[in-house]
Amino acid sequence: MNSIAARFRIDGKVAIVTGASKGIGASIAHGFAEHGAKVVICSRKQAAVDELATQFTAKGYEAIGVQCNVGNEADRKNLVDTCIEKYGRIDILVNNAGTNPYFGPIQNLPEAAYQKTMEVNLNAAMHLSNLCYEELKKSGKASIIHISSVEGIHASPGFIAYNLSKAGILMLGKSQATEWGKDNIRVNVICPGLVKTKLSQALWQNEGLMEKMEKKIPLQRMAEPDEMAGLALMLASDAGSYCTGAVFANDGGLLNASLF
Ligand SMILES: NC(=O)c1ccc[n+]([C@@H]2O[C@H](COP(=O)([O-])OP(=O)(O)OC[C@H]3O[C@@H](n4cnc5c(N)ncnc54)[C@H](OP(=O)(O)O)[C@@H]3O)[C@@H](O)[C@H]2O)c1
């Protein structure tokens, strides 16, 4: 019998993880590094990504930090060029960077907030995937993982731009999977539920709201960022070698919640 444990190893693979200085991205990058990948960590702040890369290298892992605002074309190109210069290949791309600058009614959505949300959460994922495409194809066993949200599947009042962008990334992933399967590039989407990070702090710092929300989640609690890393590792590695074009909820049962 072949080892199943070995299928989770990603030794020698090169992974770009966007929005990885903290939160879900940092946990995914850590999981990849622990399992043998060379990790390129990006966020808008060089000092923040350097700090995490230093923590990883101190543990004996391979990592670099690259400043990149994913909404900026020149930054995206520099991210990919730096990865190739340093490691010579790209096998895994995680489009994780996300933002939510507006909470409020649809009719009041400012154009600038709408544009920024779509640019960072959706357009950047497509542009970055395209920039990486030739290198991913050369990999022979590549994996793209988009971090969407349960908010890309169900609607919640107040989140229009965010939810539109997260719904869009689902279709981006499915479409890429249909076109790029022949190139051995698998593409999958993860939809986290409520995870304790800076992005969601307005929710979990509101005690009354939190109590109400946790009662609705079948597991009765929000997730820690590390709980998002295992699924990403499975999809990045041979453990998920037959998964493509799929959307995975990692939400404590939220999308399956009952009214009763
Ligand atoms: N937390 C949740 O409950 C939850 C639920 C569902 C989905 N998600 C999704 O999960 C992903 C990660 O969110 P998180 O909760 O881990 O957020 P977080 O803890 O706030 O971390 C966001 C990360 O993205 C970076 N970032 C922000 N804007 C960026 C940009 N324009 N370019 C590059 N990096 C950028 C931040 O670093 P800098 O500030 O240094 O740039 C940071 O490293 C997002 O796509 C989010 O929508 C989160």
Side-chain angles (χ1 to χ4, degrees):
M1 226 186 241
N2 296 321
S3 164
I4 303 300
R7 298 185 76 88
F8 285 88
R9 294 296 312 182
I10 44 177
D11 298 281
K13 295 212 176 209
V14 175
I16 295 178
V17 185
T18 70
S21 64
K22 53 181 174 275
I24 294 169
S27 286
I28 291 173
H30 187 211
F32 286 179
E34 276 186 312
H35 284 76
K38 298 169 184 169
V39 186
V40 178
I41 303 159
C42 105
S43 91
R44 291 166 299 180
K45 299 178 196 107
Q46 187 67 50
V49 285
D50 282 347
E51 194 184 322
L52 194 65
T54 304
Q55 284 177 30
F56 287 1
T57 50
K59 291 182 180 178
Y61 309 146
E62 187 72 54
I64 53 165
V66 180
Q67 184 280 330
C68 169
N69 176 351
V70 294
N72 179 292
E73 190 181 353
D75 279 7
R76 288 191 297 262
K77 187 169 183 320
N78 180 57
L79 173 66
V80 173
D81 289 349
T82 308
C83 177
I84 296 299
E85 257 167 49
K86 174 77 181 169
Y87 295 129
R89 57 188 292 143
I90 306 170
D91 304 282
I92 301 161
L93 170 65
V94 182
N95 284 306
N96 167 76
T99 187
N100 186 21
Y102 175 74
F103 177 78
I106 298 170
Q107 68 275 17
N108 294 345
L109 171 65
E111 181 61 21
Y114 176 61
Q115 293 300 342
K116 182 180 173 186
T117 309
M118 297 307 274
E119 199 53 51
V120 171
N121 293 5
L122 176 60
N123 302 351
M126 185 170 74
H127 296 315
L128 200 50
S129 302
N130 286 346
L131 268 180
C132 293
Y133 171 70
E134 289 300 334
E135 292 299 329
L136 292 169
K137 202 165 134 179
K138 278 189 225 159
S139 158
K141 264 188 182 188
S143 172
I144 297 177
I145 300 163
H146 298 300
I147 306 299
S148 174
S149 169
V150 291
E151 298 302 321
I153 294 178
H154 70 189
S156 301
F159 286 96
I160 183 61
Y162 184 76
N163 287 25
L164 274 174
S165 69
K166 293 299 185 180
I169 209 168
L170 295 180
M171 189 46 71
L172 173 66
K174 288 180 181 206
S175 303
Q176 289 170 327
T178 62
E179 291 196 20
W180 295 351
K182 65 176 180 352
D183 301 316
N184 284 318
I185 302 172
R186 294 182 296 105
V187 190
N188 293 285
V189 181
I190 297 177
C191 294
L194 183 57
V195 187
K196 191 172 187 181
T197 67
K198 184 162 178 280
L199 188 79
S200 59
Q201 73 181 5
L203 301 176
W204 52 263
Q205 281 179 346
N206 181 333
E207 267 181 40
L209 181 64
M210 241 345 254
E211 209 177 302
K212 223 168 93 187
M213 287 194 305
E214 285 188 324
K215 279 195 185 129
K216 288 188 183 164
I217 301 170
L219 286 184
Q220 306 274 291
R221 63 174 179 86
M222 74 172 121
E224 292 298 328
D226 283 355
E227 295 183 272
M228 300 296 118
L231 178 56
L233 176 65
M234 188 275 281
L235 294 172
S237 68
D238 277 351
S241 55
Y242 203 58
C243 296
T244 197
V247 176
F248 296 86
N250 192 353
D251 66 347
L254 181 56
L255 286 173
N256 191 40
S258 158
L259 277 179
F260 298 99

